[in-house]
């Protein structure tokens, strides 16, 4: 194991949080639109394109959170063998992960996301191509989601379902929404949450 920097995680929590929240916004503004443009060359239905991107975001967070849990267990098992303090074992584990996030196997998460998307009944893709075409977006989301798990408290995305009541606190309405409709037809981008409080609004389409 490489050496650790005691207290690094707590010391840098605020700056890492600010960076990751901003990065989540950048992905929405840049990589999401790049993926949208790319998908439109294969799929004419804009709703399907937006559903694909939203599901990619949700699956990326899920895969990254699972990978983080497994990574943390392995680090804890290894560090517990020689841990003597003064920091708690949990703090030492977190410091190690923050310092060595490059050890996260992001490609394994990307592969897992694509596998999950291939069997998702809500989205479809022309058979001659693969969801791997948006792997840049998936990779960036996985990296951000993994890093967000190292924060105290961790950040996560809101759970959204088709047909749910539209929430002004969670989402912006997409410009092609029916602005009088009360229900979400589908989601474009997830809201970012901290302790069940929205810190960055997502985007949704409302229709009657």
């Amino acid at each position: 194991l490489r050496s650790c920097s005691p207290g690094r995680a707590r010391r840098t929590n605020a700056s890492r949080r600010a960076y990751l929240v901003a990065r989540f916004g950048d992905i929405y503004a840049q990589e999401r639109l790049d993926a949208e443009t790319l998908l439109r060359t294969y799929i004419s239905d804009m709703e399907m394109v937006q559903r694909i991107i939203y599901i990619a975001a949700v699956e990326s967070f899920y895969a990254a959170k699972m990978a983080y849990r497994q990574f943390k267990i392995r680090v804890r098992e290894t560090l517990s063998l020689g841990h003597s303090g003064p920091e708690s074992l949990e703090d030492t584990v977190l410091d190690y992960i923050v310092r060595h996030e490059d050890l996260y196997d992001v490609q394994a998460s990307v592969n897992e996301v694509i596998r999950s998307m291939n069997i998702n009944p809500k989205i479809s893709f022309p058979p001659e191509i693969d969801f791997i075409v948006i792997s840049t977006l998936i990779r960036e989301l996985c990296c951000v989601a993994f890093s967000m798990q190292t924060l105290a408290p961790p950040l996560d995305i809101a759970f959204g379902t088709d047909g749910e009541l539209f929430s002004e606190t969670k989402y912006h309405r997409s410009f092609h929404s029916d602005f009088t409709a009360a229900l979400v037809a589908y989601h474009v981008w997830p809201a970012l949450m901290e302790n069940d409080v929205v810190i960055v609004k997502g985007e949704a389409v409302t229709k009657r």
Side-chain angles (χ1 to χ4, degrees):
L1 283 173
R2 308 177 197 175
S3 62
C4 293
S5 169
R8 180 187 179 91
R10 291 190 187 282
R11 209 169 55 241
T12 61
N13 194 76
S15 59
R16 289 186 296 111
R17 179 188 181 279
Y19 168 77
L20 290 167
V21 170
R23 183 73 192 106
F24 184 75
D26 290 344
I27 293 172
Y28 169 77
Q30 187 62 57
E31 281 90 347
R32 177 186 68 92
L33 293 180
D34 291 345
E36 201 173 87
T37 301
L38 192 57
L39 289 173
R40 287 301 298 273
T41 62
Y42 303 106
I43 303 167
S44 58
D45 180 4
M46 188 61 173
E47 178 178 331
M48 181 56 69
V49 166
Q50 291 182 324
R51 281 182 180 274
I52 287 170
I53 290 171
Y54 176 75
I55 287 169
V58 171
E59 293 292 348
S60 295
F61 265 78
Y62 179 75
K65 286 190 295 181
M66 291 298 291
Y68 177 80
R69 281 198 278 272
Q70 292 160 3
F71 189 65
K72 190 175 182 181
I73 288 167
R74 291 198 303 273
V75 171
R76 187 190 291 117
E77 285 174 350
T78 305
L79 294 183
S80 64
L81 300 174
H83 179 71
S84 57
E87 286 79 21
S88 69
L89 177 60
E90 280 305 300
D91 280 356
T92 305
V93 167
L94 196 54
D95 286 345
Y96 182 88
I97 295 172
V98 167
R99 187 157 179 132
H100 303 304
E101 284 184 49
D102 58 304
L103 298 178
Y104 165 42
D105 185 0
V106 64
Q107 188 57 48
S109 290
V110 172
N111 296 342
E112 187 58 43
V113 171
I114 291 169
R115 265 196 301 275
S116 297
M117 291 177 71
N118 280 330
I119 58 172
N120 191 305
K122 286 187 178 179
I123 52 176
S124 58
F125 218 35
E128 66 275 10
I129 48 173
D130 190 272
F131 288 119
I132 200 164
V133 297
I134 57 166
S135 59
T136 299
L137 171 70
I138 294 168
R139 175 178 290 273
E140 291 303 312
L141 283 165
C142 285
C143 287
V144 164
F146 185 90
S147 296
M148 283 177 172
Q149 305 316 299
T150 69
L151 298 173
L155 302 182
D156 200 358
I157 53 173
F159 178 73
T161 55
D162 292 353
E164 71 178 320
L165 195 63
F166 178 77
S167 167
E168 293 281 359
T169 58
K170 268 189 188 177
Y171 302 106
H172 298 290
R173 274 187 172 90
S174 284
F175 69 93
H176 52 287
S177 294
D178 177 343
F179 280 73
T180 62
L183 302 180
V184 172
Y186 64 94
H187 298 79
V188 175
W189 194 250
L192 190 64
M193 312 283 285
E194 182 179 65
N195 280 343
D196 297 325
V197 176
V198 177
I199 57 172
V200 179
K201 284 187 179 183
E203 185 180 336
V205 174
T206 53
K207 289 180 184 175
R208 289 192 177 278

